[in-house]
Amino acid sequence: MKVKHPDLYFNRATLLIQTQDFPEAISDLKAAVAIEPSENSSGLLSRIESAYKWVQNTIRQKAGLKPKALELLRASIPNRVKDLPADQCPLLPQLKEGENQNKYFIGKAVAVHKDPKSNIRMFAVFDSEMNCTVVSMYNVDSRIEEKVNLKESLIVVKSPYLKIINSEEDKTEDGKLKIVKAMRPDGIIVDGINLQNLLVEQDFKPKLHETS
């Protein structure tokens, strides 16, 4: 028997958004709108569809960067954190689905997607081998953006969580969307600054090896 209460679909969709299950969240929001159209459901559906489209286009089109720009970008990205073995600083293809404990994912942000009605930020990020992903940050304090430039920043994600979304249109390996999420508030370091500690002026600045 199908559930006919729109709030159940809406509430489940909000949880699915937090786990980055965007296709399932969109499906639930469409169900909620079909049962009982509301400003909340319709508005959130529009925003999540827009965000998911941005994720798809960003990863598949490498953020729209041309080959020359990619080569210049490659030279600016360190390949590991100093004093840590290389296997603790995996590239995107080396990350396992789920949480990668005690690992450091390093990349350069080239674009930011902001949801105007939430504290979620998503970055188009390249690792040192030009693998493109989207790094998501939740519960971003607006004061942080007054202190650091989140776009065009060097980003380190501690113990990154890898989410893989299988495309309905493309069932091949290339059709998979890989999204990286920081699991803890202190899991994002931008240009050497731990965002969790930024507001209390306690910075953690990992030393990075230059790209060889």
Side-chain angles (χ1 to χ4, degrees):
M1 183 174 65
K2 291 185 177 181
V3 178
K4 294 187 177 181
H5 202 298
D7 287 347
L8 295 178
Y9 285 107
F10 182 87
N11 292 338
R12 186 168 67 177
T14 59
L15 294 176
L16 289 168
I17 292 167
Q18 293 292 322
T19 58
Q20 301 175 129
D21 290 293
F22 296 120
E24 292 84 352
I26 290 170
S27 178
D28 274 359
L29 288 169
K30 286 181 176 179
V33 170
I35 295 169
E36 184 180 312
S38 71
E39 184 176 344
N40 282 344
S41 295
S42 298
L44 184 56
L45 173 60
S46 177
R47 286 157 48 206
I48 296 307
E49 285 183 321
S50 175
Y52 184 45
K53 184 176 181 180
W54 184 84
V55 169
Q56 291 176 301
N57 291 339
T58 294
I59 294 176
R60 291 174 180 159
Q61 299 173 16
K62 287 189 173 291
L65 297 185
K66 302 298 183 183
K68 186 175 181 179
L70 290 173
E71 284 304 311
L72 292 172
L73 182 64
R74 182 197 297 269
S76 71
I77 304 174
N79 51 26
R80 65 186 179 93
V81 176
K82 190 175 182 180
D83 299 327
L84 288 179
D87 63 0
Q88 276 193 259
C89 303
L91 298 168
L92 181 66
Q94 297 166 340
L95 292 176
K96 298 178 180 179
E97 188 169 10
E99 186 171 7
N100 292 260
Q101 293 187 357
N102 301 316
K103 305 292 185 182
Y104 291 77
F105 177 72
I106 304 167
K108 188 74 172 286
V110 298
V112 182
H113 178 85
K114 299 181 181 181
D115 184 336
K117 292 190 176 181
S118 78
N119 54 6
I120 300 173
R121 300 291 182 268
M122 294 191 293
F123 305 84
V125 173
F126 288 85
D127 67 18
S128 61
E129 291 299 320
M130 296 295 94
N131 299 298
C132 185
T133 185
V134 166
V135 172
S136 61
M137 292 172 54
Y138 289 71
N139 302 317
V140 179
D141 191 305
S142 60
R143 291 173 294 171
I144 287 174
E145 294 175 290
E146 298 172 2
K147 298 192 174 189
V148 295
N149 177 21
L150 296 180
K151 183 181 176 182
E152 299 179 354
S153 299
L154 188 66
I155 290 180
V156 179
V157 184
K158 300 163 60 180
S159 296
Y161 185 96
L162 179 67
K163 176 71 179 182
I164 298 178
I165 300 177
N166 294 304
S167 170
E168 290 296 324
E169 301 83 14
D170 186 350
K171 300 295 185 180
T172 67
E173 188 68 23
D174 291 339
K176 294 181 178 179
L177 302 174
K178 294 184 176 182
I179 305 175
V180 175
K181 177 182 177 182
M183 292 299 292
R184 293 182 293 276
D186 64 345
I188 290 278
I189 301 165
V190 175
D191 284 343
I193 300 173
N194 187 310
L195 296 191
Q196 172 70 4
N197 297 330
L198 180 64
L199 300 178
V200 291
E201 306 299 338
Q202 295 177 356
D203 297 350
F204 167 60
K205 299 183 178 181
K207 295 179 181 179
L208 299 168
H209 271 303
E210 297 298 329
T211 305
S212 57

